[in-house]
Amino acid sequence: MLGLDGSHGVVLAADLNVTHATVALCDLAGRPLAEAVHELRLTDGPEPVLAWVEQRWRHLLHAAGVETGRVLGLGVGVPGPVDVATGRVVHHTPALPGWRDHPLRDHLERRFGVVCVVDNDANAMALGEYHAEQPGSSPLLFVKVATGIGAGMVVDGHVLRGADGAEGDLGHVRIASPEDGPLCVCGARGCLAASASGRALARALREQGEDVPDSRSVVELALTGHAEATRLVREAGLVIGDVLATAVSLLNPRVLALGGDLVLVQDHFVGAVRERLYQRTQPHAARGLRVVASSLGDRAGVVGAARLALEEVLSAEAVDRALAGRRQPVP
């Protein structure tokens, strides 16, 4: 029997969110050797954020006593549509101003001298959840509900990708009239995210005089028993459940995993999604479906980003490149 020597090298992973980031150092079996969560604002732009990511990664290496030369790959998840072939954000999104077409992958590859994989954060979370907690549960549909709303799907261990990097853009499904619906950050009216995202709920609570700057603050308020915050979280679950009923009928997943901030209010949010989903879905489409909160929680994105790197590092093509020679990292 052959087994993988996980100590041969390491990979670096980063899950970048709108207001915070998780960075990790993992061995080749995907086991975390070091991990940290920091506040971060993607609105600062790609160059300062990528410089920050590099600094945090090098700090993890130093703290763990791992030489840079043992790094074999990098994985990064970002909250926007990504062309995985080029490692670039392909469309403008309010969460990533100035990031469109920036050479994220190329920049990090030059700095570390190894391969880098960049993908949408929901895809990374879906991959992390599948391999770490739900192996064999294919297809798996992962839905992230935080500042925005996105989805990723894993089929037989591989992320299901669209033609132009726009797969899983669930938050911009229209659920209301473009004339009467609430205004979304994308500039359109009636999008799901404009009514049911953490950003939308925070805005609704601020209009009522509450000090709620972001989606995590909505969750914290709801967990204290705040009546209006709890009601809004439950209403968001019902609305999202309506949309997911269509997704379940179309895709027939084995597992629907829910992640992101709002999932922390499990009884109200996850319960509402499950309730509406089963009301709106034909029995044969939902017969074997399991609707669960992500077992990895906030770690799903960074676990998935590490997995993205590992799949590239351990691929046959990557092994061939490694045997042919290796680029030198920047000191």
Side-chain angles (χ1 to χ4, degrees):
M1 299 291 290
L2 297 177
L4 175 68
D5 180 5
S7 64
H8 173 68
V10 297
V11 296
L12 293 164
D15 174 34
L16 306 183
N17 291 279
V18 174
T19 59
H20 66 279
T22 305
V23 291
L25 168 67
C26 301
D27 67 13
L28 295 187
R31 293 183 292 259
L33 304 177
E35 193 171 310
V37 181
H38 301 275
E39 290 186 358
L40 176 72
R41 295 204 173 274
L42 295 183
T43 51
D44 290 342
E47 292 185 4
V49 169
L50 293 179
W52 178 91
V53 169
E54 179 186 350
Q55 180 187 48
R56 301 316 306 172
W57 276 346
R58 294 191 186 276
H59 177 77
L60 290 180
L61 289 167
H62 177 74
V66 177
E67 296 180 356
T68 305
R70 290 184 59 205
V71 177
L72 302 182
L74 316 170
V76 180
V78 298
V82 174
D83 180 352
V84 177
T86 64
R88 300 181 180 216
V89 175
V90 292
H91 300 295
H92 169 73
T93 170
L96 297 167
W99 289 70
R100 181 179 180 181
D101 206 35
H102 188 85
L104 277 69
R105 183 197 67 186
D106 296 348
H107 173 89
L108 292 172
E109 286 186 344
R110 284 195 302 270
R111 298 301 298 167
F112 285 87
V114 296
V115 66
C116 177
V117 182
V118 181
D119 204 345
N120 171 263
D121 60 348
N123 284 342
M125 295 173 85
L127 196 63
E129 188 74 19
Y130 177 86
H131 285 286
E133 302 295 332
Q134 305 284 350
S137 298
S138 178
L140 178 143
L141 177 61
F142 191 100
V143 178
K144 175 188 177 184
V145 186
T147 300
I149 303 174
M153 188 163 183
V154 175
V155 179
D156 294 333
H158 302 286
V159 174
L160 184 64
R161 303 192 188 282
D164 299 304
E167 73 279 356
D169 201 3
L170 198 67
H172 299 292
V173 171
R174 298 289 179 86
I175 63 167
S177 165
E179 291 79 25
D180 303 327
L183 181 66
C184 182
V185 293
C186 72
R189 289 188 178 275
C191 295
L192 175 64
S195 296
S197 68
R199 178 191 283 116
L201 271 56
R203 183 186 65 242
L205 287 167
R206 286 196 301 272
E207 290 173 352
Q208 297 179 28
E210 299 289 348
D211 181 16
V212 184
D214 51 33
S215 62
R216 185 57 62 96
S217 300
V218 173
V219 168
E220 292 171 354
L221 196 60
L223 290 174
T224 67
H226 188 280
E228 183 61 11
T230 301
R231 186 190 70 80
L232 288 171
V233 167
R234 174 171 167 75
E235 284 296 319
L238 293 173
V239 172
I240 291 170
D242 268 331
V243 174
L244 289 179
T246 300
V248 167
S249 296
L250 178 65
L251 301 170
N252 190 207
R254 179 67 57 198
V255 174
L256 170 60
L258 301 169
D261 292 342
L262 296 196
V263 176
L264 297 174
V265 195
Q266 283 206 33
D267 291 343
H268 300 288
F269 180 76
V270 178
V273 172
R274 188 183 289 118
E275 172 189 328
R276 186 54 54 86
L277 191 61
Y278 288 123
Q279 287 176 350
R280 297 285 195 265
T281 308
Q282 290 293 322
H284 69 276
R287 181 170 53 241
L289 176 68
R290 289 190 293 121
V291 181
V292 300
S294 169
S295 52
L296 289 174
D298 287 345
R299 298 187 62 247
V302 76
V303 171
R307 187 75 196 190
L308 289 169
L310 288 169
E311 290 188 349
E312 178 62 27
V313 166
L314 300 177
S315 69
E317 295 80 7
V319 172
D320 287 341
R321 288 196 300 269
L323 293 174
R326 189 171 173 209
R327 293 167 286 181
Q328 296 300 312
V330 176

